[in-house]
Amino acid sequence: MRILLVEDNIELADLLVERFRQEGHAIDCEHDGRLADGLLAHARFDIVILDINLPNRDGFDVLRAMRRRDDKTPVLVLTARSEIDERITGLDSGADDYMVKPCDFRELSARCRALLRRRSGEAHNLFQCGSFSFDRGAKRASIDGRDLELRHREVQLLEAFIGNLGRVLPKEQVADKIYSFEEAPSLNAIEQAVTRLRRKLEGSPLVIRTIRGLGYIANAKED
């Protein structure tokens, strides 16, 4: 998943960025509320993890601005503010979830997955289509019970395509979903990653096709 972390505690931010990257996610980080608001007005993420006590603009204001723009990106508020009134304010301002620091990273990661499932209408982590299965939590894909050896980037691609079955994804949009701003990939790198994933999916009902001039489309065919 493509994540924006808005957190002014540098030490905590670096730790969370490292942990999410180890899980194979693309994550960008912003430490200032006003800069985060500006970034969110022009870029799209799968999920935003948002602190409240931020310099220049607090997290509640950033969140309200997103919702005024009709930005429906799931937002998980992660803050030291634990009072019930603040939780209510956060949720009523448009937050989809609210966690109080300190928190267990495993729970944070699981809550992010749950928010993405909710957005795509899935009730659990397991995607099953005929002989093909993919566990979003374990990052494990298999065909006929045989595990596929996927790299982190291929897992990200797989998640992006499964979350957008039947929709054409331009290459630029695919890049936005799997790379952070720091990585700046070429379109050739996207093509190579998709080609590798296709090879590993051969024999499965999940098919990724190239739509000339438009991008890629994934379809899942039941056996």
Side-chain angles (χ1 to χ4, degrees):
M1 70 182 88
R2 178 77 186 278
I3 302 167
L4 176 63
L5 172 66
V6 188
E7 170 61 65
D8 69 331
N9 182 317
I10 304 297
E11 185 176 352
L12 175 60
D14 288 348
L15 176 63
L16 291 177
V17 166
E18 181 181 355
R19 293 293 298 272
F20 275 110
R21 284 180 177 164
Q22 285 175 353
E23 284 200 343
H25 302 295
I27 181 168
D28 291 289
C29 185
E30 185 56 75
H31 307 296
D32 177 282
R34 185 174 57 198
L35 295 178
D37 186 36
L39 177 59
L40 285 164
H42 297 94
R44 288 290 175 266
F45 299 87
D46 292 317
I47 191 166
V48 177
I49 301 172
L50 180 64
D51 189 12
I52 296 303
N53 297 322
L54 297 168
N56 294 317
R57 185 168 297 175
D58 78 23
F60 289 145
D61 284 344
V62 174
L63 177 57
R64 293 187 187 104
M66 288 179 65
R67 297 321 186 207
R68 281 197 299 272
R69 292 192 296 268
D70 199 29
D71 185 340
K72 297 181 174 64
T73 305
V75 174
L76 186 154
V77 169
L78 181 62
T79 176
R81 296 190 186 183
S82 59
E83 297 297 326
I84 187 66
D85 286 346
E86 291 166 329
R87 294 176 186 234
I88 292 170
T89 297
L91 294 169
D92 282 347
S93 296
D96 298 274
D97 200 356
Y98 196 107
M99 289 187 73
V100 175
K101 303 172 188 172
C103 69
D104 187 294
F105 176 79
R106 296 168 299 174
E107 181 182 359
L108 174 61
S109 180
R111 289 194 186 214
C112 289
R113 290 194 296 273
L115 290 177
L116 282 187
R117 287 201 311 269
R118 186 187 308 165
R119 189 184 192 191
S120 60
E122 300 289 339
H124 50 73
N125 280 334
L126 186 64
F127 172 84
Q128 184 77 48
C129 177
S131 60
F132 176 80
S133 67
F134 176 61
D135 187 325
R136 296 176 179 86
K139 310 292 183 188
R140 178 183 176 188
S142 65
I143 300 174
D144 288 326
R146 174 179 55 84
D147 286 341
L148 304 184
E149 295 183 5
L150 299 179
R151 303 177 183 180
H152 278 325
R153 198 71 76 195
E154 292 159 1
V155 171
Q156 290 176 277
L157 272 176
L158 191 54
E159 289 180 319
F161 283 123
I162 287 176
N164 292 275
L165 289 176
R167 300 176 189 165
V168 174
L169 292 179
K171 291 178 184 176
E172 293 80 1
Q173 190 173 346
V174 173
D176 286 344
K177 287 182 173 297
I178 66 173
Y179 289 97
S180 66
F181 292 126
E182 294 177 355
E183 295 171 300
S186 66
L187 294 184
N188 186 53
I190 302 295
E191 293 169 2
Q192 291 178 2
V194 171
T195 297
R196 286 196 302 269
L197 179 59
R198 273 188 183 133
R199 290 193 187 119
K200 294 180 181 180
L201 291 175
E202 286 179 357
S204 87
L206 186 64
V207 177
I208 301 170
R209 293 187 293 121
T210 299
I211 308 298
R212 188 179 297 276
L214 294 177
Y216 302 103
I217 185 170
N219 292 102
K221 300 177 181 177
E222 297 289 348
D223 290 340

